[in-house]
Amino acid sequence: MKHALLLSAVPVDPAMKRYCRPGSFVVACDAGYRNAERLGIHPDLIVGDFDSAPQPKTDGDTIVLPHVKDDTDTHYAAKWLLQNGYTHITMLGVLGGARLEHTISNLSTGLFLAEHGVEVVLADAASEIHYLTPGSELTLPRGDWQYLSVFPWDGKLTGVDIEGAYYPLQNAELVPDFPIGVSNEFVEPTATLRCKAGHGLVVLTRAD
């Protein structure tokens, strides 16, 4: 298993260092190198056009991107990790912040990785986001999570099964304009989810 930690620019809590595993490859995207400092870790690679932070002096590898491009810095880094064989990627500093469009963009990048078979997690201090893809069973431990929500991400989500939750589903259909999948709760040590078509965002949230 090759695991990478992808750091973007939204400030993270130092406690998020728990997502860094032994041997994790760390990529900082543009101002994400400041999050590496907050976590007390050294990025193996820095990628960016450095429009949101000055290019840092480092003895590690740096890829300088042009300002005019199709990829965001984070999406470029995600493609680089995919091309280099990383099968498990945790994205931090990608949710919240002042610019909502970047959060939505990062959710799209996560979907890109999930569609290519990567086990991807987006996380902040209060939540995690996982992806539900056709033909793959998603099993999530209850841990200290209070809520489990499922949202269609690219149209209808069909053939949805949810086991181990207060509101179980079997062969259900979820649609984007009716958020019936919000704020479900664990009733078992794990919850298992499946779908037959479409892609879903599965959000784990701690208690308020």
Side-chain angles (χ1 to χ4, degrees):
M1 181 188 73
K2 294 182 67 174
H3 177 258
L5 193 66
L6 192 158
L7 303 175
S8 290
V10 179
V12 301
D13 188 287
M16 301 293 282
K17 188 176 181 177
R18 65 181 178 272
Y19 285 99
C20 188
R21 308 174 188 177
S24 293
F25 187 87
V26 180
V27 181
C29 303
D30 207 300
Y33 69 80
R34 292 172 174 163
N35 276 329
E37 295 171 358
R38 290 185 181 96
L39 298 178
I41 56 180
H42 183 77
D44 298 291
L45 174 66
I46 299 176
V47 172
D49 57 15
F50 303 105
D51 61 350
S52 56
Q55 182 178 342
K57 295 180 179 179
T58 176
D59 56 0
D61 291 332
T62 300
I63 298 175
V64 179
L65 301 176
H67 291 286
V68 180
K69 58 187 185 304
D70 292 332
D71 292 328
T72 64
D73 297 335
T74 299
H75 197 77
Y76 180 95
K79 292 201 298 187
W80 187 96
L81 289 169
L82 182 65
Q83 291 164 2
N84 283 273
Y86 287 88
T87 56
H88 294 66
I89 299 175
T90 303
M91 300 172 63
L92 305 181
V94 294
L95 303 174
R99 296 183 61 181
L100 176 60
E101 75 270 27
H102 279 301
T103 293
I104 297 171
S105 172
N106 293 331
L107 292 170
S108 295
T109 293
L111 177 60
F112 162 78
L113 291 170
E115 286 181 320
H116 285 82
V118 175
E119 185 177 307
V120 59
V121 179
L122 286 67
D124 60 18
S127 58
E128 283 185 357
I129 294 176
H130 300 255
Y131 290 85
L132 184 60
T133 58
S136 297
E137 188 171 272
L138 181 63
T139 300
L140 299 169
R142 179 174 187 167
D144 61 352
W145 302 112
Q146 179 72 29
Y147 302 108
L148 182 155
S149 302
V150 184
F151 302 100
W153 181 236
D154 57 353
K156 291 181 179 180
L157 187 62
T158 62
V160 179
D161 296 337
I162 300 178
E163 301 168 1
Y166 187 81
Y167 299 104
L169 290 177
Q170 185 173 6
N171 199 31
E173 179 178 277
L174 304 184
V175 293
D177 58 355
F178 182 33
I180 194 172
V182 70
S183 300
N184 208 337
E185 297 189 32
F186 286 84
V187 293
E188 300 290 345
T190 62
T192 301
L193 301 92
R194 291 176 293 271
C195 73
K196 293 179 181 176
H199 296 90
L201 293 180
V202 180
V203 184
L204 303 180
T205 311
R206 292 184 173 86
D208 298 337

